[in-house]
Amino acid sequence: MSAPAAVPLATHAAAGAPPRDRILATAARLFYSEGIHAVGMDRIVTEASTTRATLYRHFLGKEQLVLSYIQATDEQIRAFTSAALEGLDPREAVLAVAGALGDQLCAPGFRGCPFLNAAAEYPDLSDPVSRAIVAHRDWLRELVARLLAEAGDPEPAEDAADLMMLRDGAVMAAALGDADAVRASLARAVRHVLERAGVV
């Protein structure tokens, strides 16, 4: 449930972009498509057309680069979501977010949720990367709960938790199988939650 559309994450930067932007965009693309631990710093240096000295001038090490990737992804999603929901009443916003779930599953290049993917590689909840992942998911769950409450849902926290769980399961299922079939199944399940909540 990342936004009311497939969020265009910044995984590419123009050749003339500042070095930090090129490094972060390259890291985002490789981390998302191949996994964080599978990608070494030399690979990022090469594909970002920079030097190790430049990379380490902007990021003290890989852990800081990974944290920056998670934080930048979070910031992009928050900004995109805020802009997409602007001007919508609470019910319209809930339906827009719910409708976006399936859109994300079928987006080109979809390889699952970047936060769930990263969480699988950073299981220690005390790690700064894990804390950044949790912060994003807390924001998302609280956003959905607030929209549900404003739309008249008597149990917004419980229903937001249900929608998050449906979203997480659908993300994994779509990454492993028929995204269109998962999208249809998810739409039915989400509608049941929203009907029970009195939103639709």
Side-chain angles (χ1 to χ4, degrees), residues 33-48:
S33 63
E34 300 182 20
I36 294 170
H37 293 326
V39 177
M41 296 292 264
D42 287 342
R43 173 95 179 274
I44 294 169
V45 166
T46 298
E47 297 205 17

Side-chain angles (χ1 to χ4, degrees), residues 5-9 32 100-112 174 179-180 183:
V7 181
L9 300 179
Y32 182 67
L101 301 183
D103 293 341
Q104 185 183 26
L105 302 181
C106 296
F110 177 74
R111 294 186 62 82
D180 288 323
R183 181 181 193 174

Side-chain angles (χ1 to χ4, degrees), residues 87-135:
L88 300 181
D89 65 36
R91 181 178 176 278
E92 290 172 333
V94 168
L95 294 176
V97 171
L101 301 183
D103 293 341
Q104 185 183 26
L105 302 181
C106 296
F110 177 74
R111 294 186 62 82
C113 169
F115 299 96
L116 292 180
N117 293 350
E121 299 195 58
Y122 287 84
D124 181 359
L125 295 180
S126 67
D127 188 285
V129 173
S130 293
R131 291 201 299 269
I133 294 166
V134 170

Side-chain angles (χ1 to χ4, degrees), residues 12-72:
H12 296 279
R20 186 182 190 280
D21 293 349
R22 294 202 316 274
I23 293 166
L24 190 55
T26 300
R29 173 172 55 81
L30 294 174
F31 290 161
Y32 182 67
S33 63
E34 300 182 20
I36 294 170
H37 293 326
V39 177
M41 296 292 264
D42 287 342
R43 173 95 179 274
I44 294 169
V45 166
T46 298
E47 297 205 17
S49 299
T50 188
T51 65
R52 288 181 66 85
T54 299
L55 187 153
Y56 285 108
R57 185 165 63 247
H58 292 284
F59 304 97
L60 296 179
K62 186 172 181 180
E63 291 304 296
Q64 187 183 55
L65 180 56
V66 173
L67 180 59
S68 297
Y69 155 64
I70 293 297
Q71 292 172 334

Side-chain angles (χ1 to χ4, degrees), residues 88-195:
L88 300 181
D89 65 36
R91 181 178 176 278
E92 290 172 333
V94 168
L95 294 176
V97 171
L101 301 183
D103 293 341
Q104 185 183 26
L105 302 181
C106 296
F110 177 74
R111 294 186 62 82
C113 169
F115 299 96
L116 292 180
N117 293 350
E121 299 195 58
Y122 287 84
D124 181 359
L125 295 180
S126 67
D127 188 285
V129 173
S130 293
R131 291 201 299 269
I133 294 166
V134 170
H136 170 80
R137 290 179 61 78
D138 286 348
W139 162 79
L140 182 54
R141 186 181 62 256
E142 289 165 8
L143 169 67
V144 174
R146 177 177 60 78
L147 293 175
L148 287 169
E150 292 173 355
D153 184 348
E155 297 183 327
E158 292 84 352
D159 290 333
D162 289 349
L163 289 173
M164 287 288 289
M165 188 163 56
L166 286 171
R167 178 264 185 189
D168 290 348
V171 162
M172 298 306 297
L176 296 172
D178 184 343
D180 288 323
V182 173
R183 181 181 193 174
S185 179
L186 176 64
R188 291 191 298 271
V190 167
R191 186 167 187 85
H192 287 321
V193 173
L194 297 182
E195 285 176 346

